[in-house]
Amino acid sequence: MTTAALEPRAGRRCQNVLNSLHATHYFSPDLAREVGAAGITHPHAVNFAVRAAAFGAVGPGAVAAAFYNYKYELVARHVPAVWESAAPGQVLAARARAVDATLRRLLGEEALASAEMAEAARLALRATEACSRGARPLYAAHADLPVPEEPHLAYWHAATLLREHRGDGHLAALMSAGLDGLEAMVTHTATGKGMAPKWVFTTRGWSQEDWDAATHRLRGRGLLEENGELSERGAALREEIERETDRLDEAPYEHLGPEGVARLTELGAGFAQAAFMAGAFPADLIGKG
């Protein structure tokens, strides 16, 4: 029997909507409240703790390597000190409570209890069955965590696994392309789809001087124009990076199959749109300005 092939970028589109719902907790006041109650209050420390807690009480080197686009000095300012305030297990429990509260607030009880949410969780978890641990540290660490019983939390968990699986592969593609963490962000921002510079400075620890130096390096390689826009060569490199990321991330979506991917994308888009309309993200998060 011949298996139907996925449409080009079908996996990418599916993961994009799943990632949108995953990312809501990073901007949620519920996260600051729950993790703050566990003893971690600085916004940077909260960010490092919730994403790295699946590793255990690791040091700054492991976090900087796995996160890739954060300035090491910023990471070292908070890690491993953050584990003195709350153990990784406490952080994971606080994150779970925050995610639950965030999804209830953004989507509403009816959506969380719906047949559509249960279906989305089943489909997303099925896709994760084909994910691989090799050379994917953030995915592998989160894959060792138990699957929550409630459908909306199971869906969020699966979305997290698929997000980190793609993300780990994306870092391999960036390294192969010769882009360091900040250069990757500069070029992504130049596409118009990446994080605005002010958010890079606020959340990643880089300065305007660092940004300008990276821009200068990229111009020297012919990847950026003088006005900061991607050159033809730069645009081609970014597209090649995304294609390679797609290739490295194709297994879970091939496993789910075209119909399953299409349905999961449809369901995920509905949940992501509802969260967006409920104010899940800052209005100025994405853009070149």
Side-chain angles (χ1 to χ4, degrees):
M1 178 182 295
T2 301
T3 303
L6 287 174
E7 295 180 6
R9 303 187 182 182
R12 188 192 305 185
R13 289 193 296 270
C14 186
Q15 198 279 328
N16 281 345
V17 298
L18 296 175
N19 183 49
S20 292
L21 195 71
H22 161 89
T24 56
H25 79 297
Y26 290 121
F27 302 93
S28 171
D30 304 305
L31 186 67
R33 183 187 68 250
E34 292 291 347
V35 180
I40 302 171
T41 57
H42 194 289
H44 289 142
V46 170
N47 185 32
F48 295 139
V50 296
R51 196 169 176 218
F55 285 138
V58 296
V63 175
F67 287 19
Y68 196 68
N69 58 25
Y70 287 75
K71 193 168 185 175
Y72 175 79
E73 288 77 8
L74 176 66
V75 178
R77 202 173 303 153
H78 299 282
V79 179
V82 67
W83 310 125
E84 298 174 7
S85 299
Q90 293 175 289
V91 173
L92 290 171
R95 181 181 69 171
R97 292 191 297 271
V99 169
D100 180 55
T102 299
L103 295 182
R104 291 183 188 280
R105 176 170 50 81
L106 295 175
L107 302 182
E109 298 292 338
E110 183 176 347
L112 267 57
S114 67
E116 288 79 8
M117 179 63 76
E119 181 185 5
R122 288 194 300 270
L123 290 170
L125 287 169
R126 188 186 307 160
T128 68
E129 294 171 354
C131 292
S132 57
R133 284 180 169 82
R136 298 181 193 268
L138 274 168
Y139 163 73
H142 284 85
D144 285 343
L145 301 178
V147 179
E149 291 185 7
E150 294 186 79
H152 66 287
L153 295 180
Y155 175 62
W156 184 87
H157 174 75
T160 300
L161 296 184
L162 292 167
R163 172 247 175 83
E164 300 297 9
H165 188 268
R166 182 177 180 86
D168 287 335
H170 185 60
L171 299 191
L174 291 172
M175 290 187 67
S176 180
L179 295 179
D180 65 27
L182 181 54
E183 291 166 350
M185 298 203 77
V186 172
T187 55
H188 191 208
T189 297
T191 68
K193 300 177 181 178
M195 189 177 289
K198 78 170 210 175
W199 284 97
V200 175
F201 305 153
T202 300
T203 64
R204 266 56 175 175
W206 303 104
S207 66
Q208 183 68 58
E209 183 179 0
D210 295 325
W211 183 275
D212 292 343
T215 298
H216 179 74
R217 294 194 299 273
L218 292 165
R219 284 174 180 154
R221 292 172 58 185
L223 300 177
L224 285 184
E225 304 286 1
E226 286 301 315
N227 62 2
E229 297 292 325
L230 286 173
S231 66
E232 183 176 343
R233 180 179 171 187
L237 179 63
R238 284 299 320 188
E239 183 51 38
E240 175 55 33
I241 288 169
E242 294 303 325
R243 284 197 299 269
E244 178 63 4
T245 302
D246 289 344
R247 186 186 69 80
L248 294 171
D249 191 42
E250 63 189 5
Y253 304 100
E254 288 185 340
H255 178 68
L256 188 56
E259 291 185 6
V261 170
R263 179 58 175 161
L264 180 56
T265 303
E266 178 186 13
L267 293 168
F271 296 135
Q273 179 65 16
F276 178 81
M277 295 302 293
F281 303 103
D284 59 351
L285 179 63
I286 303 300
K288 299 180 182 181

